[in-house]
Amino acid sequence: MIQFPDNFTWGAATASYQIEGAANEEGRGESIWDRFCATPGNVLNNESGLVACDHYHRFQEDIQLMRELNLEAYRFSIAWPRILPTGRGQVNVAGLDFYDRLVDALLAANIEPFVTLYHWDLPQALQDEVGGWGSRQTAEAFAEYVRIVSHRLGDRVHYWITLNEPWVSAFLGHEVGVHAPGLRDTPLAWQVSHHLLLAHGLAVPILRENGDSQTRVGITLNLSPVYPATPSAEDQQATHLYDGTHNRWFLDPVFKGGYPSDVLTWLGEMIPKMEPADAEVIARPLDFLGVNYYYRVIVRQQAGKPEVVRPEGAQLTEMGWEVYPQGLHDLLVHLHQQYSIPGIYITENGAAFPDTISSDGHVHDPLRIQYLHDHLLQAHTALQEGVPLAGYFVWSLMDNFEWAYGYSRRFGIVYIDYPTQRRIIKDSGYWYRNTIVANGFAS
Ligand code: FCB
């Protein structure tokens, strides 16, 4: 039997734009994802989060599902444009009321809310008026938004996550262009990464001010352990640089007080503009790090640059992501050794597989059960080796809008039949429930 510590937190995660729908209701403003989806060709089948899982109207039913799953915690995000439809200034009280009701309903169900303040749905007005995250003003606007939200919810929400995956916001949104706002400008992407981190740092003391002694503040990063394709010096160098631009660029300023010097040197003229005091703001002490883990990365040196190598014969999920549970262990141990992080939550881990409803009415997803089992086993090993791992959130509670892939990728432990909005707990959901009840599983 694999047994987790008594105080280990078991949860599931979602994000506002991916589940809420009700995009034009009760005063919600436009977000950069609404705009991005409205441009043909950006999202598979030109789908959008307009309706999604209709969670905005069905949150009571969804909390009932969480109870059936025995969840102890629920990680969700707040849609900034519901609170401030134009990003700054005028507050939309109906938006605050919605999250207020959600939080109260969760607490009544004995489920701890873990609230992410930014999971990519920036108010479009900030993009139009100041250039979005390319501008420092957006970091300041974020602080204002966080003040409003935490003033309203800080007496009941104890766990706050400032940002979800700033690497993805910055680089998929502003360099690769496959996420909103769909820009392709590398120096801008680096500048954006700095403003996101600045926004994070500005929010930290505000969350503490509006909270109490139980308040815990963290940030969620997407992290992949990076391995060299061969032991050659070139491949090791490439691996270090890739780790620098993807992982250390975010970890070092938050947990070590400054950007990694090798990456700064490599950036040369692309070093983002920053003010002298920023480093200290970004490094304000946190209570935890949220880790989103999906896959490892293998790198070799190719024409003087790091190149990602595909491992041969690997099992892939429907995203094309390699299934590599051991990477989670390696990552957690590495974080524990390299950074002094008081606590770690796995804030996302999970897999997309082509699920269907069987003739017996159930959704049989043995591959997802195997995936969760194998990753939790690795997390457990890391725990035994001293990693301060405090909890695990499966991505995702339910199938949802998977960004540029639209509704084609199903990550849920609950199946959504989109035409009817019917929810069906998948076999993996029942497996996860049993794991929570037993606080572990038979290995
Ligand atoms: C992460 C995102 C989350 C979801 C998963 C599959 O990068 O944070 O919203 O899309 O990937």
Side-chain angles (χ1 to χ4, degrees), residues 11-65:
T14 63
S16 47
Y17 191 72
Q18 295 180 274
I19 65 162
E20 284 181 2
N24 300 320
E25 283 176 54
E26 296 197 304
R28 178 185 177 279
E30 187 188 14
S31 80
I32 56 173
W33 268 95
D34 297 296
R35 181 70 63 91
F36 185 73
C37 294
T39 308
N42 280 343
V43 175
L44 202 67
N45 303 320
N46 296 322
E47 288 166 340
S48 78
L50 184 65
V51 178
C53 309
D54 197 30
H55 171 78
Y56 190 79
H57 297 117
R58 295 168 194 259
F59 73 92
Q60 298 280 10
E61 176 188 346
D62 291 337
I63 291 174
Q64 194 47 44
L65 276 169

Side-chain angles (χ1 to χ4, degrees), residues 14-18 28 30-37 75-81 116-124 127 132-133 138 142 145 161-174 178-182 192 196 219-222 250 292 294-295 319 321 348 395 400-405 411:
T14 63
S16 47
Y17 191 72
Q18 295 180 274
R28 178 185 177 279
E30 187 188 14
S31 80
I32 56 173
W33 268 95
D34 297 296
R35 181 70 63 91
F36 185 73
C37 294
R75 173 179 178 237
F76 64 93
S77 78
I78 293 190
W80 184 346
T116 306
L117 288 151
Y118 185 70
H119 201 130
W120 308 350
D121 39 4
L122 184 76
Q124 180 66 37
Q127 193 67 45
W133 290 110
T138 296
F142 179 73
Y145 151 69
I161 294 164
T162 54
L163 305 178
N164 179 69
E165 303 190 347
W167 182 87
V168 173
S169 305
F171 294 95
L172 295 191
H174 302 80
V178 294
H179 276 196
V192 163
L196 282 160
I219 185 171
T220 281
L221 303 177
N222 55 301
F250 295 89
N292 290 357
Y294 289 98
Y295 49 79
M319 297 294 285
W321 296 347
E348 286 181 30
W395 183 271
N400 58 48
F401 176 74
E402 179 48 37
W403 309 112
Y405 295 91
F411 275 91

